[in-house]
Structures are given as C-alpha cells and as structure tokens.
C-alpha cells in the first residue's frame, strides 16, 4: 500500500492554482480595458533572413480568448518582443487594431513556416488587416521591425509551435 500526505502535494497544487488565476486575471484585464500579459515563451522565435537569423522573445496566443485580446491596450513593448498568434488550422484571418495604441507589423505565416505577407497596423483602427491567402500563424512586432531587421515575405520562421506544424527543425 502506498501512503501519502495531502501536504506533500499542496505546493504543486498551489502553484497550479496560482498559474490559472494569473492567466485568468490577464484575460479579464484585457476585457476590462487593461493589457493582457502572457508569459514569454522560453524558446525564442527566429526569423531566418537573407542577412542572418533574427531572434524574438514571444508571447503565444493560442486560444480564442488570447487571440481576441492580443496586444490590445498595450502601450509599449521591447524591440525584441512580439506575440505569435497560433490558429488550430490554416484559414483566412483578419486583424484589426481597435484598442491597440501601438503601431505594429503583422507577419502572416503559412503552415510551411514561410512569411506569406507583411502588413502594417495603424493604432486604434477598425480597418481589417489580412493577407491574400490563408495562414496558420500571425506574428505581431513593433512597427518598423520587419524593415529594420530585413524580414521579407518568403523568409522562414522557426519556433517549436511553428516547427510542429511545418515539419521544419
């Protein structure tokens, strides 16, 4: 017979509960006009460009609530940071910048990990920003980052979330 004490599991349980509370608080803050802050993924996303690899620290929005909130209400973001939107399947997507005060570059990425389109987003705009074809991922970066880092349509994006779908290592 195996014996255990509830107390030995309490620290793990407490951490799990705190993580869920933090995540839910982040979502409800976005719904109440405050920026949602997701944890930064420990693995950087890398854009493979003609002038070398460009790494970015990213937050991953991979469920409906996170994708809906995105970078709304976010006033600032470090130059090497972005948000990767992960969709469950390749589909036509459209974004708008309502309640988003920062100018952004939106990189639309196909299932193959290649950038299909790069569009600019204007702060607070309800105009739809979309590529001309279905995509699986969207990477939002501070405006001007794609040009400054020489990121172009056709460049490859590497990250475990992308690699799992594209088959690229």
């Amino acid at each position: 017979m195996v014996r255990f004490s509830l107390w030995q599991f309490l620290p793990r349980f407490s951490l799990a509960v705190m993580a869920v509370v933090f995540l839910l608080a982040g979502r409800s803050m976005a719904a109440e006009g405050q920026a949602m802050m997701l944890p930064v993924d420990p693995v950087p996303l890398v854009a493979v460009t003609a002038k070398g690899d460009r790494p970015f620290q990213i937050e991953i929005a991979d469920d409906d609530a996170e994708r809906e909130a995105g970078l709304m209400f976010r006033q600032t973001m470090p130059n090497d940071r972005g948000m990767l939107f992960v969709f469950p399947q390749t589909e036509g997507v459209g974004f708008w910048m309502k309640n988003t005060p920062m100018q952004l570059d939106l990189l639309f990425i196909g299932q193959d990990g290649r950038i299909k389109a790069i569009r600019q987003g204007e702060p607070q705009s309800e105009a739809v920003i979309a590529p001309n074809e279905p995509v699986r991922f969207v990477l939002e970066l501070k405006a001007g980052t794609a040009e400054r880092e020489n990121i172009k349509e056709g460049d490859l994006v590497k990250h475990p979330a992308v690699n799992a779908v594209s088959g690229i290592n």
Side-chain angles (χ1 to χ4, degrees), residues 87-110:
F87 293 91
Q89 61 198 25
T90 299
E91 58 188 284
V93 300
F95 282 60
W96 66 354
M97 302 283 295
K98 181 179 180 181
N99 298 323
T100 306
M102 291 188 299
Q103 287 186 306
L104 298 172
D105 288 344
L106 288 84
L107 287 65
F108 294 90
I109 304 163

Side-chain angles (χ1 to χ4, degrees), residues 44-61:
L45 176 142
V46 176
V48 181
T49 76
K51 293 190 177 183
D53 293 354
R54 303 295 189 248
F56 295 95
Q57 299 298 313
I58 59 166
E59 298 172 45
I60 299 177

Side-chain angles (χ1 to χ4, degrees), residues 11 21 36 50 55-56 67 73 80 88 99-100 120 125 127-128 131 144 157:
V21 168
M36 172 185 69
F56 295 95
R67 287 188 296 265
F73 306 108
D80 69 340
N99 298 323
T100 306
Q120 281 67 50
S125 174
V128 176
V157 172

Side-chain angles (χ1 to χ4, degrees), residues 109-115 137 155-158 162 166 168:
I109 304 163
Q111 184 164 324
D112 61 356
R114 298 271 173 197
I115 299 171
F137 309 94
D155 285 349
L156 183 64
V157 172
K158 293 183 176 183
V162 177
S166 70
I168 295 173

Side-chain angles (χ1 to χ4, degrees), residues 3-139:
R3 298 185 74 129
F4 63 91
S5 163
L6 178 61
W7 296 108
Q8 76 187 82
F9 293 102
L10 191 58
R12 289 185 194 146
F13 178 75
S14 296
L15 287 175
V17 169
M18 287 178 9
V20 169
V21 168
F22 175 74
L23 188 57
L24 292 175
R27 288 182 185 159
S28 66
M29 286 177 7
E32 295 173 9
Q34 296 180 10
M36 172 185 69
M37 301 295 289
L38 296 172
V40 174
D41 195 80
V43 179
L45 176 142
V46 176
V48 181
T49 76
K51 293 190 177 183
D53 293 354
R54 303 295 189 248
F56 295 95
Q57 299 298 313
I58 59 166
E59 298 172 45
I60 299 177
D62 59 2
D63 68 30
D64 289 339
E66 292 169 353
R67 287 188 296 265
E68 184 179 323
L71 293 173
M72 287 193 324
F73 306 108
R74 190 84 61 100
Q75 296 291 326
T76 185
M77 184 169 65
N79 290 335
D80 69 340
R81 179 85 48 92
M83 183 174 283
L84 181 67
F85 294 78
V86 178
F87 293 91
Q89 61 198 25
T90 299
E91 58 188 284
V93 300
F95 282 60
W96 66 354
M97 302 283 295
K98 181 179 180 181
N99 298 323
T100 306
M102 291 188 299
Q103 287 186 306
L104 298 172
D105 288 344
L106 288 84
L107 287 65
F108 294 90
I109 304 163
Q111 184 164 324
D112 61 356
R114 298 271 173 197
I115 299 171
K116 304 300 182 185
I118 300 173
R119 305 280 190 264
Q120 281 67 50
E122 291 298 319
Q124 309 295 348
S125 174
E126 292 185 22
V128 176
I129 306 160
N132 295 329
E133 61 186 289
V135 296
R136 185 72 182 263
F137 309 94
V138 177
L139 176 62

